[in-house]
Amino acid sequence: MNTISVIGGDLRQTTVARLLRDDGFDVSLYGFDSGVNTYCIKKAGDISSAAQSDILIMPLPLSCDNETVNAPFSGNKIYISDILENVRKDTILLGGRINDYLKGEFSAYSLNWRDYLLREEMAIQNAVPTSEGAINIAITETPETIAESSCMVLGYGRIGKVLCRMLSSLGASVTAAARSCSDLAWIRNEGFTPIHTNDIASAIGSCDIIFNTIPSVILDRRILSVVSKDALIIDLSSKPGGVDFDTARELNLRVIWALSLPGKIAPVTAGKIIKNTVMNILNEMGV
């Protein structure tokens, strides 16, 4: 299997296509109009021919409405139904953030699909551009340096670990919130100030910048009510987010919901991560 169609997506996907082409695959693009650097990769004539490839690489997220492919650089809508009607039964479809509805659609067509966003290696590698992007926002949106600022990172998962180290290396005073005893011990071992997630209200009021990585509403009215009016909140969690946004607006707090930072801040690096993850999946499938 060596014909690949990269359908839709942003600049990450054009990087994926270029890297796969350089590896010797027969790659075509669909869903990119003029004005986008496609690295002279051939373009599929229509969606029916694109869907006939051995492997389809779809964007992250695959769709925002369950009807069309996420394709911000396409002048025309790309309907998922058109792909499913033309795809071969032995085709492998790889996409990111495939929701339950689309899983059902793909299963109904007996399609062999994988969600590359669920891969651990991708999540780990994405922690670096996500953290760099978050710090870039903090530098741009605050009038003082990161050095000597007081930062709180909510959550000590993949992103939290990398973000704490980066902030500390820039001279920030870092407090990290977690629930598990092991995470709290690691936070202390790394030289950061540990705090249990249940107790963040007692310390958050003195923080200049608050980064949330927890994918649930952790910053509710009770906690937001003690946040400094001068503080900046950067929410890195996926939908529905980790902040009670209505309350934040009511309290005149500055909140930036920073979604999909790797693709916005470092699309080439993010594309390399997707490509490597895709190759891992294909290798495990014996392709």
Side-chain angles (χ1 to χ4, degrees):
M1 304 182 76
N2 85 340
T3 60
I4 298 176
S5 286
V6 177
I7 302 176
D10 52 28
L11 300 182
R12 289 173 288 186
Q13 302 305 99
T14 59
T15 297
V16 172
R18 173 177 61 84
L19 294 172
L20 290 171
R21 188 269 314 274
D22 293 347
D23 280 352
F25 289 95
D26 181 1
V27 181
S28 60
L29 279 168
Y30 187 81
F32 293 88
D33 296 335
S34 59
V36 179
N37 184 359
T38 58
Y39 304 102
C40 298
I41 298 169
K42 67 180 180 181
K43 294 184 179 181
D46 52 44
I47 191 60
S48 60
S49 60
Q52 287 290 305
S53 291
D54 299 321
I55 300 164
L56 306 184
I57 299 180
M58 312 296 288
L60 167 62
L62 193 151
S63 176
C64 299
D65 59 10
N66 290 336
E67 293 184 3
T68 58
V69 175
N70 171 31
F73 291 105
S74 176
N76 301 308
K77 291 184 177 181
I78 304 172
Y79 289 96
I80 295 172
S81 58
D82 289 339
I83 296 174
L84 294 177
E85 288 170 5
N86 289 282
V87 71
R88 302 191 335 243
K89 294 299 182 183
D90 60 343
T91 292
I92 297 171
L93 184 148
L94 305 173
R97 195 173 293 140
I98 302 175
N99 61 36
D100 289 341
Y101 175 82
L102 292 177
K103 289 177 184 177
E105 289 290 290
F106 296 161
S107 296
Y109 277 81
S110 300
L111 194 58
N112 191 2
W113 62 270
R114 299 289 190 278
D115 188 334
Y116 53 72
L117 188 61
L118 300 179
R119 299 282 297 199
E120 181 70 10
E121 71 269 31
M122 181 166 172
I124 292 171
Q125 292 178 85
N126 268 336
V128 171
T130 298
S131 298
E132 287 188 1
I135 291 173
N136 179 64
I137 292 171
I139 292 171
T140 303
E141 297 293 333
T142 55
E144 299 182 358
T145 60
I146 298 295
E148 299 184 0
S149 67
S150 177
C151 298
M152 179 176 283
V153 177
L154 305 178
Y156 201 65
R158 308 175 194 92
I159 295 172
K161 290 181 175 67
V162 174
L163 183 54
C164 284
R165 288 197 294 271
M166 287 185 176
L167 290 169
S168 180
S169 70
L170 291 172
S173 172
V174 180
T175 298
R179 294 188 185 278
S180 74
C181 295
S182 60
D183 281 344
L184 292 169
W186 274 114
I187 291 167
R188 186 179 299 280
N189 282 349
E190 291 293 327
F192 316 129
T193 301
I195 189 169
H196 195 282
T197 306
N198 293 341
D199 300 326
I200 60 177
S202 64
I204 202 169
S206 61
C207 293
D208 303 308
I209 310 170
I210 301 150
F211 300 87
N212 176 59
T213 70
I214 301 172
S216 61
V217 181
I218 188 72
L219 293 173
D220 55 18
R221 179 176 290 274
R222 179 180 68 87
I223 296 174
L224 290 173
S225 64
V226 297
V227 172
S228 169
K229 300 296 183 184
D230 296 324
L232 173 65
I233 300 171
I234 301 175
D235 189 2
L236 303 173
S237 64
S238 56
K239 294 180 179 180
V243 180
D244 180 341
F245 295 105
D246 291 335
T247 298
R249 280 191 292 269
E250 179 187 323
L251 296 174
N252 257 347
L253 297 175
R254 289 193 300 153
V255 179
I256 296 175
W257 194 7
L259 294 172
S260 302
L261 281 180
K264 296 174 182 176
I265 298 296
V268 172
T269 297
K272 291 177 181 177
I273 293 170
I274 292 174
K275 183 262 182 182
N276 291 337
T277 304
V278 163
M279 289 307 301
N280 289 342
I281 294 172
L282 294 176
N283 287 334
E284 289 174 7
M285 297 176 72
V287 176

